[in-house]
């Protein structure tokens, strides 16, 4: 389970994706629009961007644009998961692509719907909580989280079988979807069944999505919730159905 080389290589992968977005955000700046910031910031942390955008709820004239940003930033999580899986264990992609992309499509449909609704043309300042992902402290924290989840997945599988893997995936997804995705993709290269890995990855994405839905309700309030939650729940339901039928 504890392979330092493998763990650090996966940390560099995630940090590399985040660093590309970090540089882009610093170059473009938040003054050029909420949507650009949301799309770039989601590559670093879609949860952080969800919090950042939800905090702008008092700008009533921007609610439609905020809903666009919230749905778009969450939608990008699914292609990011597929990219991570493709790099670590490409054999999982045939089963995982359809449910994740169906879910993503519902999110993007909602983003487009609100994008073409009227909103104030002026941009708003968004203090996206983005830090350099190549800084040592965040990288070490992610490495420790990844090592812990790798251990928990293996321990859960040995102690409780498939149910243990699913429980770890659900709990891990509450905080971070990248670490559990990498862990399951790596374990599936060994003796973890591919179907269990795919279901676990989807469960992690599901729990992470529900956390962000809760943040929208708790921070953004009713106005943003009614604009985004129907698309989020419809997408997750559709993705789950596709996964079960595959």
């Amino acid at each position: 389970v504890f392979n330092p080389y493998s763990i650090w290589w996966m940390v560099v992968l995630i940090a590399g994706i985040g660093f590309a977005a970090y540089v882009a955000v610093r170059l473009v700046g938040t003054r050029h629009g909420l949507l650009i910031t949301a799309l770039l910031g989601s590559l670093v942390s879609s949860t952080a961007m969800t919090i950042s955008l939800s905090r702008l709820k008092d700008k009533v004239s921007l609610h439609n644009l905020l809903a666009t940003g919230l749905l778009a930033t969450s939608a990008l999580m699914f292609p990011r998961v597929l990219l991570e899986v493709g790099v670590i264990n490409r054999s999982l992609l045939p089963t995982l692509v359809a449910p994740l992309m169906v879910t993503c499509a519902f999110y993007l449909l909602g983003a487009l719907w609100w994008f073409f609704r009227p909103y104030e043309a002026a941009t708003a300042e968004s203090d996206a909580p983005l830090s350099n992902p190549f800084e040592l402290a965040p990288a070490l924290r992610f490495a420790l989280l990844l090592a812990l989840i790798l251990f928990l997945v293996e321990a859960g599988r040995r102690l409780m079988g498939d149910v243990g893997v699913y429980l770890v995936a659900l709990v891990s997804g509450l905080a971070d979807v990248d670490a559990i995705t990498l862990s399951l993709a790596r374990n599936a290269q060994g003796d973890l069944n591919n179907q269990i890995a795919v279901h676990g990855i989807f469960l992690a994405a599901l729990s992470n999505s529900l956390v962000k839905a809760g943040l929208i309700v708790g921070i953004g309030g009713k106005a943003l919730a009614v604009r985004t939650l129907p698309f989020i729940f419809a997408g997750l339901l559709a993705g789950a159905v596709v996964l079960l039928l595959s």
Side-chain angles (χ1 to χ4, degrees), residues 194-208:
N194 278 8
Q195 185 179 31
I196 296 173
V198 167
H199 287 177
I201 291 170
F202 186 86
L203 284 174
L206 172 68
S207 66
N208 190 265

Side-chain angles (χ1 to χ4, degrees), residues 126-166:
S126 172
D127 296 324
L130 306 180
S131 59
N132 186 341
F134 273 132
E135 290 178 357
L136 185 58
L140 287 175
R141 284 196 296 269
F142 184 79
L144 291 173
L145 175 63
L146 183 59
L148 175 62
I149 291 177
L150 281 167
F151 173 77
L152 291 176
V153 167
E154 182 63 19
R157 187 183 67 82
R158 290 178 181 272
L159 294 175
M160 294 182 286
D162 299 352
V163 175
V165 175
Y166 295 151

Side-chain angles (χ1 to χ4, degrees), residues 32-131:
H32 290 79
L34 289 172
L35 189 56
I36 293 176
T37 305
L39 292 174
L40 295 176
S42 66
L43 296 177
V44 178
S45 173
S46 56
T47 302
M49 284 310 307
T50 296
I51 295 172
S52 182
L53 293 175
S54 296
R55 284 173 175 167
L56 300 176
K57 62 181 179 180
D58 293 335
K59 300 179 183 292
V60 178
S61 60
L62 291 175
H63 277 177
N64 290 346
L65 184 60
L66 289 172
T68 300
L70 287 167
L71 289 167
T73 193
S74 293
L76 285 186
M77 178 187 74
F78 301 104
R80 191 179 77 232
V81 166
L82 291 174
L83 173 62
E84 294 163 7
V85 172
V87 172
I88 301 298
N89 188 351
R90 193 173 299 177
S91 66
L92 301 181
L93 287 179
T95 310
L96 194 58
V97 166
L100 289 188
M101 291 312 294
V102 165
T103 305
C104 179
F106 273 84
Y107 280 59
L108 291 178
L109 179 65
L112 288 172
W113 171 262
W114 291 113
F115 180 75
F116 289 108
R117 302 278 77 76
Y119 57 83
E120 186 177 283
T123 58
E125 185 70 22
S126 172
D127 296 324
L130 306 180
S131 59

